[in-house]
Amino acid sequence: MKILITGVGGPTPRSFAIALKKYSFYKRFELIGTDINPLAIGLYQNELFNKTYVVPPASHPQYWEVMQSILTENKIDVAVILPELEVMEWSKRKETQALPCKALIPDFSMADLLVDKSKMTEILKDLDIVPPSVTFSRDTENLKEVFEVLKGNFWVRSTSGTSGLGSLKVEDEDSLKNWIQINPNVQQFIASKFLPGRNLACKMLYHNGQLLRTACAERVNYIMAKVAPSGITGNTSFGRLLNEPNLVAEAKRAMDFLFQYTGAAQHGFFTVDFKEDENGKPYITEINVRHVAFTQCFAAGGANFASDTVRLLNEDPTFDRNYKMYEFENDLIFLRDVDSLPILMKEAELLKKHY
């Protein structure tokens, strides 16, 4: 089976590929990779990809011509589109014409809403499921308003982008002004009430109007956290695989509302991110229109969303279309680092300090 995976310079597409190669017993796969950067490491990982290509960005006028050539030349069965900008481009195309091959792409109305954290937050605010927030542009003169609304410490970040772009815990106006200045490429910021609790993720797989699979995890620490003032790099180094049906219920409540609001079909793969307040109540901080970098950790724990996605797109008649929340062994954690395969183990097995 020939599968195209885009954006293989990033950790999420490579994690998806590993989940297929290492943990899936569905079929033999031939993986074709693309990336816009000739320095992307995934382009040269022959153990993962049978063939790779450097392609133009999704916004380039030749993007579709190049992609169609790759799809045709390699007789691609399924495309897995993972960078946000490409998801947006494919969802736009889906509005007006058939996609060039099978791919799990959300409707444009849903994708367009979710890539803008401020829009999503505004729409969900009456459900008491997002933290109190204020959106402002980098040239906003009166920043006191932000402090008056949020009263105390708050979390600021870019309204779009990934990997914690522009994120920082802010405690006073001077630090906020300085942060705006050292992030010149961020035009719009969103400030939200600071939430000190757990950082949680709920993965949700929808296909043709049905929610079919979910699973939950906690992000605890991040790879290279010291290089980011916020400590958030978007790449989890230590996390927990969790059984949290109440979290799934909250994620579904929000998604149901958003599907109704946009009129979009319940179709696509989404990662709903939560942060808990001081009382343990979870609030949604963002919803990604894609898999995340620890996809292979879910697969190693028995929740292989990569395989599920491919089986659905391949119309596998043996796939059980009854809803399932993946459940994990208690106390199951994962450890990840740069250039290393993740390790799954029981948290009780972590070595103890001897001093």
Side-chain angles (χ1 to χ4, degrees), residues 200-202 219 271-275 283-288:
L200 304 169
C202 178
R219 301 177 178 96
T271 302
V272 185
D273 288 349
F274 291 85
K275 198 80 163 56
Y283 288 93
I284 292 174
T285 56
E286 66 181 293
I287 302 176
N288 294 293

Side-chain angles (χ1 to χ4, degrees), residues 295-315:
T295 288
Q296 59 183 309
C297 301
F298 275 104
N304 198 332
F305 287 104
S307 181
D308 290 343
T309 299
V310 170
R311 290 177 66 190
L312 284 166
L313 291 172
N314 198 42
E315 299 175 18

Side-chain angles (χ1 to χ4, degrees), residues 78-79 94 99 101-107 204-214 255 259 264-270 305 307-317 319-323:
V78 164
K94 195 175 82 161
L99 294 176
C101 70
K102 294 176 181 177
L104 187 65
I105 303 295
D107 285 0
M204 310 187 79
L205 174 58
Y206 292 86
H207 187 258
N208 289 347
Q210 286 181 269
L211 175 60
L212 297 177
R213 298 288 185 272
T214 59
M255 292 298 292
F259 282 125
Q266 295 196 10
H267 189 74
F269 190 91
F270 305 90
F305 287 104
S307 181
D308 290 343
T309 299
V310 170
R311 290 177 66 190
L312 284 166
L313 291 172
N314 198 42
E315 299 175 18
D316 176 10
F319 186 89
D320 183 359
R321 291 189 66 90
N322 291 307
Y323 167 74

